[in-house]
Amino acid sequence: MTARFIVLEGIEGTGKSTHAAYLADWLAKQGQPAVAAREPGGTPLGERLRALLLDPGISPMPPQAEALLMFAARSASISEVILPALASGAWVVCDRFVESSYAYQAYGRGVPIEQVRALDRQIVGKLRPDLTVILDAPPELGLARKAGPEKKDRFEQESLKFFERVRQGYLQRAREGGGRYIVVDASRKLAEVRKDLVTAVGQLLGHKASRDN
Ligand code: TMP
C-alpha cells in the first residue's frame, strides 16, 4: 500500500487539530503507520516561525512577509517531515498545508493570488495531497468555539469579515480543485464530522488504484 498524504484545512474552530490527531490514530489502527504534521510548525524552524507569525505583538506584519514566512515554515515541513514520512511508507495527516496560504494570504489578506501560486510552484512543486478536506463552518461559530480566557493570537484577533473571506477562499479553491478536495460541514457535532472523515479516508485506503495516476 502506497502512503497517502491527507490535509485538513479550515478556519479557526472547525476542529482540524482534533480530527487530524484522530485520523492519524485511526490509520494506525488500520495497520497504516501515520505521521501527524502541522503548519506552520512541526520542525524547529517551523515552530520558531509559528511563534513569530502568531505573536499579536508583531503588528502590522506586511501580508507578503507573512506569506513568505508561511512558505519558509512549509519548506522545512516538506523536507524534514512530509517527504521523509512518505518515503518511509507512512501516511501523513497534516493540519493545514498550502490551501491555508491561498485562503488566508490571498483571499484574506489580499496578496495577489499569482504570488501565492508562484511560491506554491517554487516551494511545494509537484507534491500534492491525495486528499484535502475543507472543514467548513460559519466564522461566527468557529470563533465562538475558540473563545476562551487565553489571549487571542494575531489571526484570532481578525474580524469576522476577514474569516468570511478566508472561508469563501477555501470554498472557491475546493470548487476549482476537483476530486482531490472535499468540503465537510464542520458545524455539526464532532462525531458526525468524524464519521465523514473516516469514510473519505477509508475510500482512499480501499481504492488506491484510482488515485495512483
Ligand atoms: P492554527 O493552525 O493553530 O489554526 O494557527 C495557525 C494560523 O496560521 C491560522 O490562523 C492560519 C494561519 N495560516 C496562514 O495564514 N497561512 C498558512 O499558510 C498557514 C499554514 C497558516
Side-chain angles (χ1 to χ4, degrees):
M1 157 63 76
T2 313
R4 297 296 184 190
F5 179 22
I6 299 165
V7 174
L8 299 189
E9 292 276 8
I11 61 166
E12 273 66 2
T14 48
K16 285 176 310 302
S17 314
T18 311
H19 289 305
Y22 177 84
L23 277 180
D25 248 36
W26 182 83
L27 279 163
K29 287 193 186 116
Q30 314 305 306
Q32 302 295 333
V35 168
R38 74 161 175 178
E39 290 191 12
T43 66
L45 175 65
E47 291 297 328
R48 297 282 280 274
L49 291 174
R50 178 184 179 88
L52 286 174
L53 282 158
L54 299 191
D55 184 352
I58 303 184
S59 181
M61 182 182 290
Q64 281 165 326
E66 188 178 274
L68 289 166
L69 293 177
M70 292 294 179
F71 274 95
R74 180 160 304 126
S75 162
S77 171
I78 290 171
S79 62
E80 292 171 33
V81 180
I82 299 173
L83 291 181
L86 292 172
S88 77
W91 287 52
V92 174
V93 182
C94 199
D95 178 352
R96 300 191 180 281
F97 191 57
V98 72
E99 290 309 326
S100 282
S101 294
Y102 285 98
Y104 283 76
Q105 278 66 57
Y107 288 88
R109 300 280 196 221
V111 173
I113 199 158
E114 256 323 308
Q115 291 185 12
V116 175
R117 225 173 252 134
L119 287 167
D120 183 3
R121 273 196 296 269
Q122 192 183 335
I123 306 300
V124 184
K126 287 205 168 73
L127 174 68
R128 293 295 134 186
D130 295 290
L131 180 67
T132 297
V133 180
I134 313 284
L135 292 164
D136 180 58
E140 295 85 337
L141 180 67
L143 295 183
R145 280 176 177 168
K146 273 264 162 173
E150 312 85 47
K151 194 164 182 247
K152 289 189 163 90
D153 71 34
R154 209 170 53 80
F155 287 93
E156 289 164 353
Q157 291 184 351
E158 283 298 333
S159 63
L160 274 180
K161 276 196 172 141
F162 172 81
F163 287 107
E164 192 49 51
R165 289 198 298 277
V166 172
R167 180 191 189 191
Q168 293 310 323
Y170 274 131
L171 295 175
Q172 177 68 22
R173 292 276 308 165
R175 276 193 294 273
E176 292 166 0
R180 290 184 182 218
Y181 291 73
I182 59 168
V183 177
V184 169
D185 176 1
S187 65
R188 295 169 302 158
K189 291 202 176 79
L190 208 69
E192 291 175 38
V193 178
R194 183 178 281 176
K195 227 167 114 191
D196 284 2
L197 294 179
V198 166
T199 302
V201 175
Q203 277 172 6
L204 214 53
L205 257 175
H207 299 108
K208 182 172 84 72
S210 65
R211 292 195 164 267
D212 269 344
N213 41 36

